[in-house]
Each structure stands twice: as C-alpha cells, then as structure tokens.
Amino acid sequence: MKMVNAFNMKRAAAGLRRINLDGLRWRVFDAKGQILGRLASQIATVVQGKDKPTYTPNRDDGDMCIVLNAKDVCVTGRKLTDKVYYWHTGQVLCLKHFSLNIDIMVYRYVGHLKERTFKDQMAKDPTEVIRKAVLRMLPRNKLRDDRDRKLRIFPSSEHPFGDRPLEPYVMPPRSVREMRPRERRAMVRAQKAEQQQQNTDGTKKGKKREAPEESA
Amino acid sequence: MTRIKRGYIARKRRTQIRLFTSSFRGAHSRLTRTISQQKIKALVSANRDRDRKKRGFRGLWIHRINAIIGKNKKKQYNRYSNLLYNMYKGQLLLNRKIVAQMGILKGNCLLMIANEIIT
C-alpha cells in the first residue's frame, strides 16, 4: 500500500492544469465515520456546483473536493460483506479453428462477469469505493468526466494540497433512526453479557438508556 | 398546346429555404430535399422551445434560490419552499427571477429579507 500511496500523491496533484477556472474553492471532506452513500450525495452536490447561486447546468462550476480518510468510511447493515461491485470484461468468444493440416486454435480473451465484495475493494483500493459512489450519483452527461477530475480522494489524512486555501465541509445534521426491536434486544443482551462479565455484583439496567437515538 | 416550362419558379422558392438552412451541418445544408425537411423541423423546434425556454428559466431560478437560501442560513427551515410560503404569506410580490438575481448579486440583501420573513 505504501507504493500505491506514493503513486497516488503524484497522480493526485496531476491534471490540475486541465481545470480552467481557479475561482473555485477547495472543500475538504472528512470521510472518517461517515456513511458511504450519504457522504457521496453531499460530495456530488458540491462537485456539481449545485450549492452556488450561480449554478448553470451547461457549465461545470463545481468546487474542488478533497476527501480524506477514505479507508474509514462506514456502511450500515450487512453491506460490508454483501455489497458486491460487478463489472464485465473481455469477449466471451473462444474459437477453435481446425484447418486441414494444422490445428489452429484461436482464443479470444475469455472474460465474463467479475465481482468483488466491498470488503475486498476496501482492502485493495479504498478510494475507488467513494469514487464509484460519487460518479454514479453525477448526471451522465459531457461534464461528468470534468467533474471526476475535480474529485481528489485520499485513503488517509495526508494530501499534497497543504498550501492551498482549504475549507472543511460541515456535513448537515443527520437523524439516525431508532434501532429495530430485534437489533435493540440483541444489543441489550450483548451489553448485559459484557456487564455480567465485568461486575460480579448485581446487573444494572441503566445501560439500556444509551440507545443511539440522536436526532438533530 | 405548346410546351411551357415552369422556368425557375421552384428554384426561386428553394433558394429562400436554402438561405435559411445555410449554416446547418453536412447534407442538411446541401441536398434539396433534406433542406426543406430541416427547415420545417427547425421552425417547429423554435416555436416549441420558445415556450420551453420560459419553463427552463423558471426552473433554473428556483434552483438558484434554493442553493443560496439553503447554504448560508442556519435556521431550521432554510428551503426554497419555506421562503416562497412565507413570501406569499407576507404578501411580498417578488418573482423568482428577481429573487434569483438578488441572490447572485446582492446575496446579503436576500438573506436579510429571508431572515425576517421565515419564521
């Protein structure tokens, strides 16, 4: 991964010449502990320039987005094991051509549906996860590639843009929904088991009140 | 009856159309038959889009108003819908075009008004 990091740094600063206007701001997103999709939708809004009053649909005027700590992005539910990225490669032909004297076997590349789970993708390249999520939220038009160029994603907190005027992006407050009854019972049971291991006295029921019911 | 050629009536008619279509791409400005068709399509589009333009701009203004209202204020209801509702309630008869222009040029003005209106 260290080799990849070095490569990323050089590649991350490249391509800046292609981006025309530098009246753009540099917004920094911290992905640590953020949910993948919710973060990606905010990034997509900023990269399109939709939070500016001078938004024009035929002109790409989004801010430069830097995403840090991409390896710490979270997903809910069972997506860590169950979310699969699919893509299709190659041609499915595999010809064997037998001529009279010579056996000529012509193989095309046998490609087919490839898949990779979320966990494996995070192990291989965590920036791709966020990049795919954001790209698939952008409108599919001619500006999509330019907007992709404005996204710089880094797996950790280091980035080569330290000398630019960076602005941190404050995510909008989020209301986490109540836990489902089965989940909550499981959590309560787990906490009780933990406590019974720790305290050999009576079991306290006060920990039940700490359910995550934050609503902002 | 003697034979009478029609002369250049058809050509006169077609040169007018050709002038209209002179900047079109490829065969659409060169071949006679396609020129007639393309002129009709162009005029149809122009007619239809004159009304669409009005719709399009209104949507763009609404978008822009939403962008500037939602971004800067830290009040609870910082949305376009709330702004319009309160504007109608307070009988503030500004149309969306003007409000969007205010948002671009004099953003602080608009935010001051919005702060006063939105409860």
Side-chain angles (χ1 to χ4, degrees), chain B residues 5 15 20 25 29-30 32-34 37 45 52 61 67 70-71 77-78 82 86 88 91 102 114 118:
Chain B
K5 278 171 49 168
T15 32
F20 181 88
R25 189 180 177 206
S29 59
R30 292 180 176 84
T32 319
R33 290 200 214 172
T34 44
Q37 296 166 1
S45 294
R52 288 252 174 94
W61 297 326
K71 181 168 58 161
Y77 295 119
N78 47 353
N82 286 110
N86 287 301
Y88 280 124
Q91 295 181 344
M102 270 167 54
I118 298 188

Side-chain angles (χ1 to χ4, degrees), chain B residues 1-5:
Chain B
M1 288 285 296
T2 44
R3 176 175 176 256
I4 301 181
K5 278 171 49 168

Side-chain angles (χ1 to χ4, degrees), chain A residues 25 50-57, chain B residues 60 63-64 67-68 71 100 103-104:
Chain A
R25 296 178 286 175
K50 275 201 159 180
D51 54 348
K52 296 184 173 176
T54 47
Y55 166 71
T56 322
Chain B
L60 185 64
H63 215 105
R64 288 179 169 176
I68 192 165
K71 181 168 58 161
I104 300 177

